[in-house]
Amino acid sequence: MITSQKYLEERWVEPFEVKPKPFSLLAHQTLSTLFTYGELKPPDLAQNVLTMPPFGGIDQNEYRLLLQKMIADDYLQRMDSGEIIIGLKGEKIVQHYSFYAVFQDEEVYHVFSQNGEIGTLSICPAVSEVFILAGRSWQVSSIDEERKVIYVKLVKNNRLPKWTGDHSGLIHTKIVARMKKVLQEEMLYSYLQPGSQALLNKTRDFVKDNHLLNWAFIPGSTNSFYLCPWVGTRQLFTINNLLLCGLKEDLQIYSIRQGKHHLEIRSDLSIEDFKAVLKKAQIDMNNPEAVISEQQQLRMDKYDYMVPKELLREAFLRNVLDVKGAQEILTDICGKTHTGKAPVPGSASEPGRII
């Protein structure tokens, strides 16, 4: 409904975003170029590859780090004469039919506990992540990427873990903003069925009666509250990482649960103290440590396993997160003066499907 409405009103179509640091594609094109030429000296290889349009944001030093990793892992080989050729592991990759597609193949990870195999997952969770499989809760102890094996231990968990898998199906901020406007206005949409329009009206009444649209911070249970910034998936995910990594201690946060459009935050600070600390926080937008934990699952694209960790962190920072956008959103939220009645503590816990 929302995407159709945006197009009807503004002829707006969600833009395609080019990744500034496509290191996976760079590894693929390096193999492809050497497959064509046979052997090349490093400067000639860089000239052939880095001049391709997708790699305008990648510098010579980053490419050098990638080549060193690919040589060390035998995807490439450097001859005594200085030329680079495809290595033994690289030969197996370029000779396989799947090499002609740069998108990610569907992978299967086998999950093992101390008692043997439990089942399989198509998406790999991060170390320490908790997920449900075979009706029980498991926490990831370690991951063997080479063999596609996840080692887990059984944990007791009374709450259903919120594990969203990969970052596919991202929702643009403009879509979320229009969702909020749908709830604020009283417009009737001629293309909605009567039942759908009735549900929309009921939802509008609920959020307005509980003043959920005027406040970004909504009281929850003891020592918890909801943050509802009405932003896209990428920005909300970045805010979640920012609060858990760079600002966790300052904000006295001990847990965050991320929903589709909100964060449930448990902190020793009150909402007002939380906002005051957040308003003064200084964030280094170029520092991966501020938004990426050591346990973060960094591999997102098909050939990321050839990319060194420092470049994967840079790619995650530039391709997946939006630190500047998240910082601007938090500054805007903390600087706003809200009017009207504040939401009643605990009221936000009932309409989980709304927020």
Side-chain angles (χ1 to χ4, degrees):
M1 167 189 168
I2 302 298
T3 52
S4 300
Q5 192 64 30
K6 286 291 291 182
Y7 183 77
L8 289 173
E9 295 171 345
E10 306 173 21
R11 292 296 186 265
W12 181 84
V13 177
E14 187 168 343
F16 174 77
E17 294 186 3
V18 177
K19 293 181 179 180
K21 299 291 184 180
F23 293 120
S24 173
L25 180 61
L26 183 62
H28 176 274
Q29 288 302 302
T30 296
L31 289 173
S32 180
T33 299
L34 288 172
F35 187 64
T36 300
Y37 287 92
E39 59 183 45
L40 286 171
K41 292 182 178 180
D44 296 329
L45 179 59
Q47 175 64 26
N48 274 277
V49 177
L50 292 184
T51 53
M52 296 179 185
F55 309 129
I58 296 175
D59 60 39
Q60 293 275 354
N61 185 57
E62 290 172 328
Y63 192 40
R64 185 180 300 110
L65 290 174
L66 176 65
L67 291 180
Q68 289 172 350
K69 167 74 171 172
M70 294 180 73
I71 291 171
D73 292 346
D74 205 21
Y75 297 111
L76 301 178
Q77 183 178 344
R78 188 161 190 170
M79 309 292 287
D80 293 338
S81 57
E83 284 86 358
I84 295 178
I85 62 173
I86 297 177
L88 291 178
K89 286 186 178 179
E91 283 289 349
K92 294 180 180 179
I93 293 172
V94 299
Q95 296 294 342
H96 196 272
Y97 71 89
S98 63
F99 182 69
Y100 294 96
V102 296
F103 52 83
Q104 182 70 278
D105 299 324
E106 183 176 350
E107 296 181 315
V108 174
Y109 289 84
H110 294 266
V111 182
F112 281 84
S113 72
Q114 61 180 2
N115 296 322
E117 185 170 0
I118 304 164
T120 61
L121 295 175
S122 59
I123 301 296
C124 183
V127 173
S128 298
E129 196 109 37
V130 177
F131 62 93
I132 295 289
L133 185 62
R136 309 182 81 176
S137 297
W138 307 94
Q139 185 175 45
V140 179
S141 301
S142 63
I143 301 169
D144 185 339
E145 281 285 355
E146 194 76 23
R147 298 169 54 213
K148 303 299 178 188
V149 172
I150 302 171
Y151 296 100
V152 299
K153 61 181 179 181
L154 185 66
V155 294
K156 291 183 178 180
N157 193 13
N158 294 327
R159 301 180 71 178
L160 184 65
K162 184 68 177 181
W163 179 56
T164 55
D166 66 358
H167 301 284
S168 59
L170 301 182
I171 303 174
H172 196 279
T173 288
K174 283 184 176 289
I175 297 296
V176 181
R178 190 62 183 88
M179 289 167 61
K180 183 178 182 180
K181 186 178 178 182
V182 166
L183 296 175
Q184 291 172 322
E185 63 192 9
E186 296 181 358
M187 178 178 177
L188 299 178
Y189 301 98
S190 59
Y191 49 78
L192 288 183
Q193 296 293 324
S196 299
Q197 185 64 57
L199 179 60
L200 175 57
N201 293 338
K202 184 178 180 181
T203 304
R204 283 171 170 172
D205 291 340
F206 179 88
V207 296
K208 289 175 183 177
D209 290 345
N210 290 278
H211 305 276
L212 299 180
L213 297 176
N214 302 324
W215 298 76
F217 290 89
I218 300 175
S221 57
T222 304
N223 291 343
S224 75
F225 53 87
Y226 296 91
L227 174 58
C228 306
W230 293 95
V231 296
T233 311
R234 186 181 181 193
Q235 289 72 31
L236 187 65
F237 179 68
T238 306
I239 291 172
N240 177 80
N241 275 30
L242 187 59
L243 297 181
L244 278 178
C245 296
L247 300 175
K248 183 176 182 179
E249 292 185 6
D250 291 344
L251 295 171
Q252 299 181 38
I253 295 172
Y254 50 92
S255 72
I256 296 181
R257 294 180 69 240
Q258 181 175 342
K260 286 187 177 181
H261 304 294
H262 74 279
L263 301 176
E264 182 184 356
I265 301 171
R266 300 186 66 82
S267 168
D268 287 330
L269 298 180
S270 66
I271 290 179
E272 290 306 315
D273 289 341
F274 190 93
K275 290 172 63 178
V277 174
L278 191 57
K279 191 173 182 179
K280 297 178 182 178
Q282 298 294 320
I283 304 299
D284 182 359
M285 291 187 291
N286 296 312
N287 179 17
E289 303 297 327
V291 283
I292 303 175
S293 70
E294 285 298 321
Q295 292 76 37
Q296 188 83 53
Q297 174 65 21
L298 299 175
R299 294 183 180 178
M300 307 295 295
D301 297 314
K302 185 174 181 178
Y303 296 104
D304 276 348
Y305 60 86
M306 299 186 196
V307 181
K309 186 174 181 180
E310 58 264 43
L311 294 187
L312 283 179
R313 291 175 70 82
E314 182 69 12
F316 199 87
L317 179 66
R318 307 299 177 188
N319 300 344
V320 178
L321 303 177
D322 179 10
V323 182
K324 182 180 179 181
Q327 189 173 17
E328 290 174 351
I329 290 162
L330 292 175
T331 300
D332 180 59
I333 289 174
C334 293
K336 281 184 177 178
T337 301
H338 298 286
T339 58
K341 182 181 176 182
V344 178
S347 65
S349 63
E350 297 176 12
R353 55 192 171 89
I354 297 175
I355 63 170

